[in-house]
Structures are given as C-alpha cells and as structure tokens.
Amino acid sequence: MKNIRNFCIIAHIDHGKSTLADRLLEFTKTVGVKEMQNQVLDDMELERERGITIKSHAIQMDYEQNGEKYTLNLIDTPGHVDFSYEVSRSIAACEGALLVVDATQGVQAQTISNLYMAIDNGLEIIPVINKIDMESAHPDEVEDEIVDLLGCDPEEIIRVSARTGEGVPKVLEAIVERIPAPNGNPDAPLQALIFDSVFNPFRGIIVYFKIENGSIHKGDLVKFVNTGKQYNADEIGVLKLQMAPRDVLSTGTVGYIISGIKTSAEVRVGDTITHVATPCEKAIEGFQEVKPMVFAGVYPIDPEDFENLRTSLEKLQLNDASLTFTPESSVALGFGFRCGFLGLLHMEIVQERLSREFNMEVITTVPNVSYKVYDKKGEMTEVHNPAGLPDPTLIEHIEEPYIRASIITQSEFMGPIITLCLGKRGELVKQDYISGNRMELTFDIPLGEIVIDFYDKLKSISKGYASFDYYINEFRDSKLIKMDILLNGQPVDALSSLIHVDNAVTLGRRMCEKLKELIPRQQYDIAIQAAIGAKIIARETVKQVRKDVTAKCYGGDVSRKRKLLEKQKAGKKRMKQIGTVQVPQKAFLAVLKLD
C-alpha cells in the first residue's frame, strides 16, 4: 500500500491536462507506440472533435524509482465549469492533485475553483506550469501568480512542456515523493467508494470504485450500502487502457467491479460497497447532491419514441451523474422530460450524445432556471418551467436564484465586461488586481440572465481572455412575469418564458421578429403575438401565400377583380379556421440566439 499513489490532474479548460496525461502514460510505458495518439484517454468521438474532456478517465500506471516499483492511479478531469461535478468526484478518489497552469494565460477562474475543491478535500497540491515552449509564454509572471495563490516556494513549481515532454520526469518524481500513500486499514471490513459507472450492453453496469479500507476478492458477495442490494463480484480488476482483471484488490486501489447489474437505479455515485458477511460500520460520506443550474424540456421528434428516450436518458445518467430528468408533457410537443443540466455546454453535449450514442433525435425547448414561488398563504413551490406557474392572482411574490460570479480578465477589457454584467442586471461586488494587468471582478447576477448567451458574449468582448466561474449564492425577490407566445391566438407552451418585467417588451418584440423569419408561410395569415396575461405586447404577421387570381382579368370594370378577390378571401378564411401552424425545431433553438 505504501507504493500506491492516487492523483488527478486539475486545470482551467485548455491548459493541457490531457496532453500531460498522454506524456505520463508514454514515460511510464503504459501505452504502446502503436496505441499512442493525442488525447489518448478521451475515448468519446465528441471529445476529440471539440478538443475538450467531458468525462473523467481513470488509468493505472506502473513506475520504477530508485529500484522501487510504484503503482500510480491517474484520473484526468474536465476543465469546463459545466463539468465540475466530474472533477469533484475524481478529487474524492485521490490523495493528491497536479494543478496545471498555462504559461501563456496564467491563473484563470476555473483554476482557482478546482484548486479550492481539492484543498477542501485535503489533497496535496503539486503546481505545474505547462506550455513553456510556446513563444508567448511568460513562466516567471505565472510563477508569481501561483506563489500568491498557493503560498508555496517557487522551487516547488515544476515547469514542463507537455507537447515536447520536457520536465515530465520531474513530475513523476514529485508524484512519488510529495503525494502521500493511501491511509486505510487493510484488515478492516471492506469499505469502497463508488465514484463513477458506465453501461456496457454485454456485461451490464461496470462500477468504478476506490477501496478506502479492507480488500475485495473475485467471487465475494458484496452489497451497496445505500440501495441495500447484494451482488456477486463476478469480475474485479484495475483500469489500464483496457480493463485488466485481478483476483484480489487491496486498500488504496482504484478498480472496477462487474456483477451483472442491469438497471441503472441500483447504482448511485457516492455509494459505499461492503461485504455482506462482515459489513463496515458506516458508509463513507459520499458527494454533495448535484444541483442542476439550467432546465429544459427534451422531447422525442416522434411521440412513439418516448420510452426509448427514457431508456437512453437512464443509460446516459449512469455515465453522467450530473444529469437529472423528470417526465412532463406539453400541448405543442406531447410527452417528454424536463431535464436539469449544469450549464448550456452540458445541455448541448447531452443532446449531441443522445443523437450519436443512442440514435435519438430530440427537440429541446428554451432553457430556464428554477424559481421559488410564494402564494398568498405563504407556501413555497419550486417552479422549473413557466407552464408550472400558478395563477397570477394567487402569487404573493417570486424569488429567483442569484449567482456569485468571478471573472478574471486583463484590465483593458474591464469596461466592456462591467457594461455587459450591468446590462444583465448584475451588481459589482468587488474588484481586485491579481498581478500586473490582470484583475478579478466579482458580480452578483441573476442566473436566468446568464443562461442563454452570457458566456459567448463575455468571450467575444474579451477576445477569449476572460475566464468565468460561478456558484449559486442566494434567492432574491424579483418582479418576474410569464410571457406567452401565441400563434393564431393559440399559446405555444414550449416557447413561454419567465422574465423580468423590464425586459419583457424588448424580448417579446425580438422573439416575434425571429419567429416571423423562421415559420414557413401558409395559405393564410399567421399572427405571432407576445402576451403577458391578456395584454398583447408585440405582434408580427407571416403573410399568406397567394395565387394571383386576377391574372385572367385584363381591362374591364374593377368590380370584376374585386369579386374574384372577395371569393379568394372567403376561401382563405375557411381554411384558417382549421389550419394548424407547424413550428420548426430551428425556431425553438433560434430563440436562444436572439442577438
């Protein structure tokens, strides 16, 4: 056990975590020359295409130093704020972390947020400056930032280039020397923490765990403490590039168990595995329940696919524990699910994975956040979508979630960023200079305002330099109203939204204009209206497609033309009574990108 080291790599998005992991695997000869490729641990096609890590990936390496053999369990983590739950679970399975900082960009918002998460869990931090081979690198300035942040000695910081491999042997030495070995008791009853699971169509659900105390043998009868279910350990093993079966796993090891579990409800991330015969006294404290930030309706394009969509979401939830969903129905779209996501990128990735991995084409409604609605009796209900809002006459007041946002940027972009945040009803809490011309701005902003396009705008006005991180701070009383979109007088519930009273008219007008461009013309006029209660605040009309019925009239009295036009008008009126308006999927998505 004293020769085991469990560590993860944490960093802001795009600071070179996966490339550093590639070099570590190469130096320890875990991956052969033939199997080597960029981002070797990112096994999803989507991760390679976008160049981002979506899932944490665990892998075991063998390393020899001073004649002693060491087992290193590495977990590569995502860097984007939307996947921070993956990071928190990886951190729980480790004793140390490599904090990677880009030498060209310095410390950024997600660096700080992941670092605090690691420190809260008592991990030993090894700071690493990456990309020192780049022409635009300024490692000395970045070193000062890290010293300010961690309070460590400059000698403790390792400079590497993950692309060329320079400095990587020093990282391996530091992992062995600085990260403590796991400190469990090998003779105690089995106690193992589940930190991830994946679905395999042939073998059922494969559960990944870290053994805190005790050991597990192949064929043992084990139980999951929270669900109380019992299983035989048909196969146990460690995670190399492929799964490597073993007969016994001892304290401190990160491994997997296959026991033919078929239903996803039986596996919970954060649960504890123990023996049935000699159970442990208490379960390990798991993870905090994940809180979705953004809610959106997900509906199958073909209503008959509802059950298939449920199965797909359950399988996806195994692999992505931060996804939550509950059934709901909509007049316009039929039966579907109200899904909770950690952010807009998370929502986009889930939609893409449903399409690629499960062949499910879905319609996603406008995303929104959850509100607390208080009625006249003082009772509170949580509302996740505008359709669930009680009658306005019964509502006393509505509270919306506010976030505490931390934006790290260069001082030249400070003006436009403050303007953007104030335009989103934000309040400046404080501003601090970190080093040189880099500063941290702290804002309180309503979560509903940043859900749709805030991150994109922030990146464009700061030329990609600003980094953004946030957490839910509090709920505040707000003047919110429900805005409906009516097509020919019929409300389309999937386009309804809860918005602040000051933004209602402008947003209503822009939505109507956008829908006018996207809804195909019919043989009758389509009225697109935005309404608050019974009051119409904006209107656009999609003009009808008309045939030129007066083409055959040449010359003669004007009443002949009028007669033909009146006849056509009467026919159009009859058609309008029974006509239905088809809303294309583009229209639902376009509302997100109104600018």
Side-chain angles (χ1 to χ4, degrees):
M1 195 170 92
K2 70 179 194 329
N3 286 7
I4 294 176
R5 300 286 183 271
N6 298 320
F7 69 100
C8 57
I9 305 181
I10 55 175
H12 189 81
I13 190 166
D14 236 8
H15 280 202
K17 294 176 297 301
S18 298
T19 317
L20 181 59
D22 288 354
R23 292 297 83 77
L24 293 173
L25 295 175
E26 211 169 61
F27 272 86
T28 55
K29 299 187 171 53
T30 307
V31 179
V33 180
K34 286 182 182 174
E35 298 157 323
M36 196 63 215
Q37 53 178 337
N38 286 343
Q39 291 174 263
V40 70
L41 291 180
D42 293 349
D43 46 17
M44 232 185 282
E45 206 180 302
L46 201 55
E47 292 179 310
R48 296 185 170 286
E49 274 178 29
R50 292 179 176 235
I52 57 174
T53 304
I54 294 166
K55 279 288 300 166
S56 308
H57 299 277
I59 190 163
Q60 190 179 90
M61 306 181 286
D62 296 320
Y63 174 63
E64 196 171 315
Q65 185 172 316
N66 304 333
E68 279 205 59
K69 289 189 175 172
Y70 291 90
T71 302
L72 311 181
N73 289 309
L74 151 70
I75 304 179
D76 180 24
T77 64
H80 196 284
V81 63
D82 281 13
F83 305 112
S84 54
Y85 189 56
E86 289 284 326
V87 183
S88 73
R89 301 197 334 247
S90 307
I91 284 174
C94 295
E95 280 82 38
L98 297 182
L99 179 74
V100 179
V101 182
D102 187 331
T104 62
Q105 294 185 322
V107 170
Q108 294 194 281
Q110 201 59 27
T111 317
I112 297 174
S113 126
N114 286 345
L115 171 69
Y116 287 159
M117 216 188 290
I119 290 173
D120 287 347
N121 278 279
L123 267 62
E124 179 64 38
I125 310 290
I126 299 177
V128 175
I129 297 178
N130 188 20
K131 305 192 186 178
I132 56 168
D133 59 317
M134 304 279 278
E135 285 179 14
S136 56
H138 41 87
D140 295 337
E141 287 174 33
V142 176
E143 192 171 90
D144 294 342
E145 287 179 22
I146 295 175
V147 170
D148 286 349
L149 183 65
L150 280 174
C152 62
D153 290 330
E155 297 79 54
E156 291 176 26
I157 301 170
I158 304 168
R159 297 188 181 193
V160 303
S161 163
R163 195 164 56 112
T164 62
E166 183 188 338
V168 172
K170 285 185 191 166
V171 175
L172 286 163
E173 284 168 25
I175 289 166
V176 170
E177 286 162 15
R178 294 199 220 163
I179 293 176
N183 57 358
N185 179 358
D187 304 319
L190 172 67
Q191 205 181 23
L193 175 74
I194 297 176
F195 67 90
D196 208 351
S197 57
V198 291
F199 180 78
N200 182 310
F202 306 107
R203 311 202 62 181
I205 293 162
I206 302 170
V207 176
Y208 297 162
F209 61 83
K210 180 201 175 191
I211 301 177
E212 298 283 349
N213 292 305
S215 58
I216 182 171
H217 291 72
K218 185 179 175 180
D220 282 357
L221 184 63
V222 296
K223 73 169 180 181
F224 291 5
V225 175
N226 279 344
T227 56
K229 302 270 185 183
Q230 300 185 2
Y231 308 99
N232 278 317
D234 299 335
E235 184 185 307
I236 57 170
V238 294
L239 299 152
K240 297 280 192 182
L241 200 52
Q242 270 76 39
M243 292 185 292
R246 298 281 186 270
D247 289 331
V248 60
L249 295 176
S250 57
T251 309
T253 313
V254 172
Y256 70 90
I257 177 171
I258 299 175
S259 47
I261 306 169
K262 296 286 185 293
T263 53
S264 50
E266 292 176 25
V267 180
R268 290 205 192 131
V269 165
D271 201 350
T272 304
I273 305 176
T274 187
H275 281 127
V276 174
T278 53
C280 56
E281 287 177 15
K282 64 179 199 306
I284 303 166
E285 282 187 19
F287 309 99
Q288 291 178 333
E289 275 295 303
V290 58
K291 290 190 178 70
M293 301 282 185
V294 174
F295 295 88
V298 172
Y299 295 87
I301 285 178
D302 183 350
E304 289 175 6
D305 284 338
F306 175 71
E307 279 306 322
N308 293 351
L309 179 60
R310 182 197 295 275
T311 317
S312 305
L313 282 170
E314 280 174 358
K315 287 177 183 171
L316 196 56
Q317 195 178 35
L318 273 177
N319 200 255
D320 180 356
S322 51
L323 172 68
T324 59
F325 62 92
T326 49
E328 72 162 6
S329 62
S330 146
V331 180
L333 301 169
F335 289 101
F337 294 93
R338 166 89 3 197
C339 294
F341 306 98
L342 295 184
L344 271 194
L345 178 70
H346 187 211
M347 172 175 143
E348 203 179 309
I349 294 291
V350 167
Q351 203 175 338
E352 188 82 17
R353 286 183 69 183
L354 281 171
S355 164
R356 290 188 185 202
E357 294 172 31
F358 304 101
N359 215 7
M360 286 295 317
E361 294 300 329
V362 294
I363 291 176
T364 314
T365 63
V366 183
N368 54 18
V369 299
S370 59
Y371 298 93
K372 290 182 177 176
V373 179
Y374 290 85
D375 60 17
K376 297 275 167 74
K377 295 175 186 170
E379 289 175 5
M380 189 273 288
T381 46
E382 271 206 8
V383 172
H384 297 314
N385 66 340
L389 204 64
D391 190 279
T393 54
L394 303 173
I395 296 173
E396 177 65 36
H397 68 276
I398 302 176
E399 290 185 357
E400 66 174 333
Y402 267 70
I403 58 161
R404 177 62 56 92
S406 148
I407 298 169
I408 294 181
T409 178
Q410 294 179 342
S411 49
E412 63 195 89
F413 305 119
M414 178 178 136
I417 287 175
I418 290 179
T419 310
L420 170 71
C421 294
L422 295 179
K424 296 281 185 188
R425 297 193 285 131
E427 297 167 10
L428 182 61
V429 179
K430 64 172 191 232
Q431 56 190 61
D432 299 314
Y433 276 91
I434 300 175
S435 66
N437 67 342
R438 285 159 57 74
M439 59 190 311
E440 181 178 14
L441 300 168
T442 309
F443 282 92
D444 282 345
I445 310 178
L447 180 59
E449 293 282 346
I450 69 152
V451 155
I452 292 176
D453 56 359
F454 178 80
Y455 194 63
D456 295 347
K457 283 185 176 171
L458 179 68
K459 281 290 181 200
S460 59
I461 61 176
S462 67
K463 300 183 182 163
Y465 279 113
S467 60
F468 174 65
D469 188 48
Y470 63 89
Y471 60 89
I472 289 277
N473 193 26
E474 58 183 344
F475 277 78
R476 292 191 199 172
D477 195 353
S478 276
K479 287 184 179 174
L480 296 169
I481 45 174
K482 180 185 174 189
M483 184 176 77
D484 288 312
I485 298 291
L486 314 176
L487 297 179
N488 276 348
Q490 296 299 316
V492 181
D493 55 354
L495 289 172
S496 301
S497 50
L498 266 176
I499 48 171
H500 195 265
V501 70
D502 297 347
N503 303 342
V505 176
T506 16
L507 188 72
R509 200 167 287 152
R510 278 162 51 205
M511 278 176 85
C512 289
E513 285 165 6
K514 195 75 184 173
L515 288 168
K516 181 185 177 183
E517 293 169 23
L518 292 165
I519 289 177
R521 290 170 72 187
Q522 310 282 353
Q523 298 211 341
Y524 50 86
D525 281 356
I526 301 170
I528 304 169
Q529 295 164 311
I532 296 168
K535 183 183 174 189
I536 304 294
I537 54 169
R539 168 175 174 140
E540 291 288 336
T541 308
V542 178
K543 283 293 182 195
Q544 59 194 17
V545 182
R546 300 182 66 147
K547 183 181 171 190
D548 189 358
V549 287
T550 59
K552 57 181 180 248
C553 286
Y554 47 94
D557 191 35
V558 72
S559 58
R560 290 175 63 198
K561 279 188 180 180
R562 183 143 311 133
K563 185 179 164 190
L564 287 168
L565 287 169
E566 291 297 331
K567 195 174 171 186
Q568 184 188 35
K569 201 169 164 186
K572 296 269 185 202
K573 198 172 178 183
R574 271 202 311 278
M575 188 183 283
K576 186 179 174 181
Q577 285 168 0
I578 54 165
T580 56
V581 184
Q582 296 291 323
V583 184
Q585 160 73 350
K586 275 193 305 192
F588 291 106
L589 297 176
V591 179
L592 313 187
K593 301 184 174 71
L594 277 174
D595 286 359

